[in-house]
């Protein structure tokens, strides 16, 4: 959904009007996005602002010899990620001793999850375990496949999880207030 403005612009010929040839490619997860950006295979992508910050400071899922100097432009400030849990988990306190799924241990959604739970007094590895389920957004399928009890999910995966019986325990906007969430990211020239 974050790439929707680009898809609309391409569909309406706005890129072609300016002599730009645009091809869309799915790069699953921040590691693949940043590798492709640094290799020059892609020139712009959408990601979480937390990824831009993490990679710039050498804390991303993949390390580069030179830190990527990416520039981020606003896409969605009111997007939110929801903490979705299996039905037997009734509230956040029930996450103690449980396993939570993230796309990667140091990706944007993991950083948001850690921050949300830290604000509630939880400490990773003491109060809960984390398992990386692979590149791309955490979905109900990846959560169930990993045997995890809960995960932070964005749209539309949060709605799919709710329809399948998972319970919403909280969300990123309630935890942090409004913040820059999804951004278009390009490499500084």
């Amino acid at each position: 959904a974050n790439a929707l403005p680009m898809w609309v612009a391409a569909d309406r010929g706005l890129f072609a009007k300016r002599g730009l040839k645009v091809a869309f490619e799915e790069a699953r997860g921040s590691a693949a996005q940043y590798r492709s950006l640094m290799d020059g295979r892609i020139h712009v992508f959408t990601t979480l602002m937390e990824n831009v910050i993490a990679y710039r400071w050498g804390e991303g899922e993949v390390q580069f010899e030179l830190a990527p100097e990416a520039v981020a432009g606003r896409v969605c400030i009111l997007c939110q990620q929801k903490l979705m849990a299996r039905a037997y988990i009734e509230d956040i306190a029930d996450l103690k001793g449980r396993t939570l799924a993230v796309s990667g241990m140091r990706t944007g959604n993991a950083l948001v999850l850690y921050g949300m739970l830290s604000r509630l007094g939880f400490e990773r590895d003491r109060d809960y375990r984390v398992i990386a389920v692979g590149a791309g957004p955490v979905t109900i399928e990846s959560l169930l496949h990993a045997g995890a009890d809960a995960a932070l999910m964005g749209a539309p995966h949060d709605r799919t999880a709710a329809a399948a019986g998972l319970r919403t325990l909280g969300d990123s906007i309630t935890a942090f207030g409004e913040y820059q969430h999804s951004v278009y990211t390009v490499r500084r020239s």
Side-chain angles (χ1 to χ4, degrees):
N2 294 332
L4 184 60
M6 293 185 113
W7 297 336
V8 171
D11 186 61
R12 295 201 176 162
L14 299 179
F15 293 119
K17 211 183 225 181
R18 287 162 181 76
L20 299 172
K21 292 181 184 177
V22 176
F24 293 94
E25 167 184 324
E26 185 176 11
R28 301 221 11 116
S30 64
Q33 291 171 328
Y34 270 91
R35 279 190 194 106
S36 295
L37 180 71
M38 296 303 286
D39 291 346
R41 291 189 312 254
I42 64 172
H43 303 286
V44 62
F45 62 89
T46 60
T47 192
L48 301 177
M49 186 65 194
E50 296 84 5
N51 285 325
V52 175
I53 295 166
Y55 279 93
R56 175 63 185 100
W57 294 105
E59 296 295 327
E61 198 68 9
V62 176
Q63 301 298 308
F64 295 96
E65 188 173 319
L66 293 173
E69 288 202 32
V71 178
R74 181 178 178 163
V75 174
C76 181
I77 196 165
L78 291 177
C79 296
Q80 65 181 333
Q81 298 180 73
K82 293 184 180 174
L83 181 53
M84 304 301 295
R86 292 187 189 233
Y88 54 80
I89 297 175
E90 295 187 20
D91 61 38
I92 290 183
D94 294 337
L95 292 177
K96 287 206 174 193
R98 302 289 186 175
T99 301
L100 283 69
V102 294
S103 56
M105 300 301 274
R106 295 166 25 168
T107 59
N109 94 312
L111 299 174
V112 172
L113 176 66
Y114 304 154
M116 284 175 67
L117 293 177
S118 174
R119 287 177 175 223
L120 298 169
F122 283 73
E123 187 177 314
R124 187 175 63 162
D125 298 328
R126 180 192 74 193
D127 297 317
Y128 64 96
R129 293 174 303 284
V130 179
I131 184 169
V133 296
V138 178
T139 63
I140 186 169
E141 293 83 11
S142 61
L143 180 144
L144 296 175
H145 179 73
D149 299 295
L152 203 58
M153 296 182 189
H157 307 294
D158 58 338
R159 289 189 291 280
T160 304
L166 272 71
R167 182 184 313 257
T168 303
L169 300 180
D171 65 75
S172 57
I173 291 178
T174 302
F176 301 111
E178 295 177 10
Y179 70 101
Q180 184 65 52
H181 181 270
S182 297
V183 293
Y184 288 123
T185 307
V186 298
R187 189 171 181 183
R188 188 183 306 271
S189 297

